[in-house]
Amino acid sequence: MTYKCIGLMSGTSLDGIDAALVNVSADGNTIHFLHGITRPFSDSLRKKLMGLAVNETVNKEELARMDALMGHLLSDVVEQLLKESGTETKDILLVASHGQTIGHYPDKENQYGHSIAFTLQIGDGDVMAARTGIPVVSDFRRRDMAVGGEGAPLIPLLDSLLFQNTEQNRCCLNIGGIANITVLPACGSTPMAFDTGPGNCLSDLAAARLIDHGLKFDPGGENAFCGKIHDEILDRAMADAYFTQLPPKSTSREYFDEKFLNFLLGLEKNVPFGDMVATVSCLTPRSIADALHRFVPVDNFPKEMIVSGGGVHNRFFMEKLKLLLPEMNVVSSGKYGIDPDFKEAMGFALMGYRTMKGLPSSIPEVTGARLPQILGKISLTTSAFHFFQRDKGDD
Amino acid sequence: MTYKCIGLMSGTSLDGIDAALVNVSADGNTIHFLHGITRPFSDSLRKKLMGLAVNETVNKEELARMDALMGHLLSDVVEQLLKESGTETKDILLVASHGQTIGHYPDKENQYGHSIAFTLQIGDGDVMAARTGIPVVSDFRRRDMAVGGEGAPLIPLLDSLLFQNTEQNRCCLNIGGIANITVLPACGSTPMAFDTGPGNCLSDLAAARLIDHGLKFDPGGENAFCGKIHDEILDRAMADAYFTQLPPKSTSREYFDEKFLNFLLGLEKNVPFGDMVATVSCLTPRSIADALHRFVPVDNFPKEMIVSGGGVHNRFFMEKLKLLLPEMNVVSSGKYGIDPDFKEAMGFALMGYRTMKGLPSSIPEVTGARLPQILGKISLTTSAFHFFQRDKGDD
């Protein structure tokens, strides 16, 4: 018995919404990709979302408006996915939506006697349930933070179910705005997972700023290939405290931002622009390789690296990873039939299903939480009750 | 078969959190009050919440922090209620939480091709589910707004189930910061419900400002009783456009605010302060009586008015209502065994149960929505699944 579910992801790189239609097995442990679409944000929308994401002070009405609006835009993408894949609404068990991150504050504070950390994703699940007529699970990160976790990363569960293998130590690398790694020991022990540092975020900024051809990113890494890497700049970038901080740890594009780039640019005055794109781009594979060597015990050291996320299309990243990790087989997740552009959306579909089933999806060893949790909030429609009442836990 | 549920309400008057422990019948149509507590907000907390509620521009981190913090404060109240009533966590089916309203924007706008209206209540249900171990239903108003409704009022369902009677036309009046009325025709037709205008909000402001004894409100209406009502001021206040606007309609304390009070104060320069409290207080019963006479068809005109909310303790309001509505029996909801301080909290408990049962709680004729909806989002714990799997719809 399997169930058709839809997962929606829009990352902090603000390029658009990824939607994946998947089949999930009744026990919530197996997932198969069926179809995926990506809808890019318009420039005006990207600008608005960027404003909310980077500003400390926001117009309250605008924030509430964008929460509802994102619910509609996500619903539009669900409708398009159903149409393109020839699937009917009644055949979909649920939509699971990550939402757009507007703020993430994992550092615990004491407030009125309570230790709290918090996060803010928009894209109202109620709007989506009303629009699509499908039950919606949304707001996945808060429940983990409510029990002391970082609320991230959440994808290691999917990585473990898809790729953990008793024959071979493996790791999964996702290169979005930020890059994160999941180490999957062959011995079957709990995954280790953390953010390694910048993914596309710095090379995107460098490409947009330095190349000055209206680029939002360096396509395929081709500009990086043309430049010369300045090792003294790269070495000083690698001296940043984040890279030596012990996991569990997470970071954000607000850390590896314009200011960080300015710091790098300030190190040497006369670096040609092309060289800077190359040097900044090199920081991504370099910090990934460094983190693996620094933090992963020898017994668990991966033989294979399975790469997903937008960064997989950056050939410069991939080539450098292969050079810096010669002991490892660096491959796209496509090798295992997992489209690298939709892995995260698939992950939320899986977690949404597990929530409807009453199963936890967070891994306390990974997020730092006290206990695993059933993630997200459900906006119900009547079809959810057919599932609840049929599902007696005996798969 | 009945289920123990907890309802939580904290109104825009920002006096604190009301919590009601109730029994709900399996069919979701009958509710009995068991125990209630009110926990007042500290002055510092009230000030913070007031800042978020009245300011157009907010610190994004502070808003997210207060969302999580309110989740903890609401959980504290749940724990206190369980302790005081000698109830165990495992005996509670769910907690239903309205949350604290930080903004409400019911006027529809067109945004990127979508007609949207939105609202913002804080008090994260995920924090509460993690803290209490009980399934939580929260964020009740958005789903109705997602289908074109005002997201308010939602209490008419409870009013109808508790008080609608084939022998007698009745109405329910709730006096919180704003006053609202539900008209319950004996013929059994759908209730009519709307905000009549100010409840306690203006008399609270007048008491705080004019009496200057550190009062937050006029206790029992005693200051109002001592003053003289200035009819010319009252008449001009009643000329405000809201009072003649046709229902369905809703208003907020942001409309009947300091500016409105200043306008009244400006009408006559030499009114003694005590007279002003009396005159401003009189606007509440006067606008209620006027709305009933103006908008309720003769055939449905109530014989009995059942009053709840903090305003029921203001004897000045109650006496004036009796004088202005001599054809009506004006009583506290206590007459029917419903503690007037906990009716709204009871209402959310009932709606939370109906959501877990897959039943709608909004009344489209009242909110202006296109369709009735299953309200709120569920933050699950495993006990919810015992209910879902046991509940086969055959009560």
Side-chain angles (χ1 to χ4, degrees):
Chain A
M1 184 71 194
T2 62
Y3 293 96
K4 282 197 172 73
C5 302
I6 290 173
L8 299 171
M9 178 71 201
S10 59
T12 52
S13 48
L14 283 167
D15 37 11
I17 300 164
D18 298 322
L21 173 66
V22 302
N23 259 329
V24 182
S25 64
D27 65 3
N29 290 326
T30 317
I31 181 167
H32 290 284
F33 179 75
L34 298 173
H35 192 71
I37 60 171
T38 296
R39 176 164 317 176
F41 290 135
S42 68
D43 284 342
S44 83
L45 188 69
R46 182 183 296 112
K47 209 172 144 187
K48 280 190 187 199
L49 291 170
M50 184 67 87
L52 285 179
V54 302
N55 294 330
E56 288 181 20
T57 303
V58 297
N59 180 287
K60 190 176 64 177
E61 183 173 350
E62 176 71 3
L63 180 63
R65 176 184 295 117
M66 292 303 285
D67 196 359
L69 178 62
M70 274 300 292
H72 280 287
L73 299 177
L74 290 160
S75 305
D76 291 344
V77 176
V78 169
E79 284 176 0
Q80 187 187 337
L81 178 60
L82 291 177
K83 198 173 165 192
E84 271 195 22
S85 63
T87 314
E88 288 186 61
T89 297
K90 68 171 178 51
D91 296 327
I92 303 291
L93 177 63
L94 63 90
V95 171
S97 170
H98 175 267
Q100 186 66 46
T101 296
I102 292 303
H104 186 65
Y105 311 92
D107 296 335
K108 291 171 196 68
E109 316 174 346
N110 197 293
Q111 288 279 330
Y112 292 82
H114 299 288
S115 168
I116 61 172
F118 38 93
T119 189
L120 190 53
Q121 277 83 39
I122 59 170
D124 184 29
D126 281 359
V127 168
M128 298 172 67
R131 272 282 306 279
T132 63
I134 302 170
V136 174
V137 189
S138 62
D139 214 5
F140 282 84
R141 300 197 185 274
R142 294 194 190 199
R143 184 72 169 266
D144 179 73
M145 298 181 90
V147 291
E150 297 246 327
L154 300 180
I155 295 296
L157 173 79
L158 177 75
D159 288 337
S160 167
L161 292 174
L162 285 177
F163 302 116
Q164 197 158 14
N165 181 285
T166 55
E167 309 278 299
Q168 188 185 47
N169 287 323
R170 292 174 173 173
C171 69
C172 295
L173 172 70
N174 194 79
I175 309 178
I178 293 296
N180 56 71
I181 197 110
T182 306
V183 178
L184 302 165
C187 66
S189 64
T190 306
M192 174 189 198
F194 58 93
D195 290 344
T196 55
N200 303 313
C201 62
L202 284 176
S203 58
D204 285 359
L205 284 178
R209 208 153 120 174
L210 302 180
I211 299 168
D212 199 19
H213 289 312
L215 287 176
K216 293 199 183 69
F217 62 98
D218 179 15
E222 60 187 52
N223 289 284
F225 276 120
C226 298
K228 178 179 160 291
I229 295 159
H230 289 238
D231 285 326
E232 66 287 4
I233 295 181
L234 194 56
D235 289 343
R236 290 178 65 179
M238 281 303 298
D240 186 86
Y242 183 76
F243 299 120
T244 49
Q245 188 186 320
L246 282 172
K249 62 179 179 176
S250 61
T251 187
S252 67
R253 58 181 293 133
E254 281 72 53
Y255 187 85
F256 293 105
D257 63 354
E258 294 275 357
K259 260 187 283 183
F260 191 88
L261 188 63
N262 285 340
F263 160 74
L264 294 187
L265 288 173
L267 290 177
E268 279 194 48
K269 298 296 173 198
N270 299 314
V271 182
F273 282 177
D275 291 7
M276 188 49 70
V277 175
T279 305
V280 165
S281 295
C282 201
L283 183 59
T284 294
R286 173 83 182 268
S287 56
I288 292 163
D290 184 79
L292 282 166
H293 288 129
R294 192 186 291 268
F295 300 121
V296 181
V298 172
D299 287 353
N300 295 342
F301 204 82
K303 288 276 181 213
E304 186 165 74
M305 170 180 270
I306 302 162
V307 188
S308 60
V312 81
H313 305 299
N314 186 314
R315 290 188 306 280
F316 182 84
F317 286 170
M318 294 297 279
E319 218 165 88
K320 286 287 167 199
L321 282 171
K322 286 173 189 173
L323 274 172
L324 292 164
L325 295 162
E327 66 276 53
M328 218 175 272
N329 187 27
V330 179
V331 301
S332 159
S333 65
K335 177 187 168 186
Y336 293 97
I338 306 298
D339 187 321
D341 291 326
F342 295 106
K343 194 185 82 171
E344 292 204 305
M346 286 178 70
F348 284 95
L350 177 77
M351 290 187 264
Y353 177 79
R354 292 176 62 92
T355 295
M356 287 274 281
K357 180 86 180 172
L359 297 171
S361 297
S362 51
I363 303 176
E365 292 85 347
V366 164
T367 64
R370 290 186 294 278
L371 287 166
Q373 294 288 307
I374 303 171
L375 302 180
K377 300 178 174 82
I378 307 187
S379 300
L380 292 163
T381 72
T382 48
S383 64
F385 293 89
H386 304 153
F387 173 78
F388 291 140
Q389 287 158 18
R390 188 174 55 219
D391 185 63
K392 307 287 286 182
D394 45 11
D395 313 308
Chain B
M1 185 73 193
T2 63
Y3 294 95
K4 283 197 171 72
C5 302
I6 290 174
L8 299 171
M9 178 72 202
S10 58
T12 52
S13 48
L14 283 168
D15 37 10
I17 299 164
D18 300 321
L21 174 65
V22 302
N23 259 329
V24 182
S25 64
D27 64 4
N29 290 325
T30 317
I31 182 166
H32 290 284
F33 179 76
L34 298 172
H35 191 70
I37 60 171
T38 296
R39 179 169 306 180
F41 290 135
S42 69
D43 284 343
S44 83
L45 188 70
R46 182 182 297 112
K47 209 173 143 186
K48 280 191 187 197
L49 291 170
M50 183 67 87
L52 286 179
V54 303
N55 294 330
E56 286 180 20
T57 302
V58 298
N59 180 287
K60 190 175 64 176
E61 183 173 351
E62 175 72 2
L63 181 64
R65 177 184 293 117
M66 293 303 286
D67 195 359
L69 178 62
M70 273 300 292
H72 280 287
L73 300 177
L74 289 160
S75 304
D76 290 344
V77 176
V78 169
E79 284 176 0
Q80 186 187 340
L81 178 62
L82 291 177
K83 199 173 166 193
E84 271 194 23
S85 63
T87 313
E88 290 186 60
T89 296
K90 69 172 178 51
D91 296 327
I92 304 290
L93 176 64
L94 63 91
V95 171
S97 171
H98 175 267
Q100 186 67 47
T101 296
I102 292 303
H104 186 65
Y105 310 92
D107 296 335
K108 292 170 196 68
E109 317 173 347
N110 196 292
Q111 288 279 330
Y112 292 82
H114 298 289
S115 167
I116 62 171
F118 38 93
T119 188
L120 191 53
Q121 277 82 40
I122 59 171
D124 183 29
D126 281 358
V127 168
M128 298 172 67
R131 271 281 307 279
T132 64
I134 303 169
V136 174
V137 190
S138 62
D139 214 4
F140 282 84
R141 300 196 185 274
R142 293 193 190 198
R143 184 73 169 266
D144 179 73
M145 298 180 89
V147 290
E150 297 246 325
L154 299 179
I155 294 296
L157 173 79
L158 177 75
D159 288 337
S160 167
L161 292 174
L162 286 176
F163 302 117
Q164 197 158 13
N165 181 285
T166 54
E167 309 279 300
Q168 189 185 44
N169 288 322
R170 292 173 173 172
C171 68
C172 294
L173 173 70
N174 194 79
I175 309 178
I178 293 295
N180 57 71
I181 198 110
T182 306
V183 179
L184 302 165
C187 66
S189 64
T190 306
M192 173 190 199
F194 58 92
D195 291 343
T196 56
N200 303 313
C201 61
L202 284 176
S203 58
D204 286 359
L205 284 177
R209 208 153 120 174
L210 303 179
I211 298 167
D212 199 20
H213 289 312
L215 287 175
K216 292 199 184 69
F217 61 98
D218 179 15
E222 61 187 52
N223 290 284
F225 275 120
C226 298
K228 179 180 159 292
I229 295 159
H230 290 238
D231 284 325
E232 66 287 4
I233 295 181
L234 194 56
D235 288 344
R236 291 177 64 179
M238 282 301 300
D240 185 87
Y242 184 75
F243 300 120
T244 50
Q245 188 186 319
L246 282 172
K249 61 178 180 176
S250 61
T251 186
S252 68
R253 59 181 292 134
E254 282 71 53
Y255 188 86
F256 293 105
D257 63 354
E258 294 274 358
K259 260 187 283 182
F260 191 88
L261 188 63
N262 285 340
F263 161 73
L264 294 188
L265 288 170
L267 290 177
E268 279 194 46
K269 296 296 173 198
N270 299 315
V271 182
F273 281 176
D275 292 6
M276 188 48 71
V277 176
T279 304
V280 165
S281 296
C282 202
L283 183 60
T284 293
R286 174 81 183 270
S287 56
I288 292 163
D290 184 78
L292 282 165
H293 287 129
R294 192 187 291 267
F295 300 120
V296 181
V298 172
D299 287 353
N300 295 343
F301 204 82
K303 287 279 181 211
E304 187 165 74
M305 170 180 270
I306 302 162
V307 189
S308 60
V312 80
H313 306 298
N314 185 313
R315 290 188 306 280
F316 182 83
F317 286 171
M318 294 297 278
E319 219 165 87
K320 286 287 168 200
L321 283 170
K322 286 172 189 173
L323 276 170
L324 292 165
L325 295 162
E327 65 276 53
M328 218 176 272
N329 187 28
V330 178
V331 300
S332 159
S333 65
K335 176 188 169 185
Y336 293 98
I338 305 299
D339 187 321
D341 292 325
F342 295 106
K343 193 186 83 171
E344 291 203 306
M346 288 178 69
F348 284 96
L350 177 78
M351 289 187 264
Y353 177 80
R354 292 174 63 92
T355 294
M356 287 273 281
K357 180 87 181 171
L359 297 171
S361 297
S362 50
I363 304 175
E365 293 85 346
V366 164
T367 65
R370 288 186 294 278
L371 287 166
Q373 293 288 307
I374 304 171
L375 301 180
K377 300 178 173 81
I378 308 187
S379 300
L380 292 163
T381 71
T382 48
S383 63
F385 293 89
H386 304 154
F387 173 78
F388 291 140
Q389 287 159 18
R390 190 174 53 218
D391 184 64
K392 306 288 284 184
D394 45 10
D395 314 308

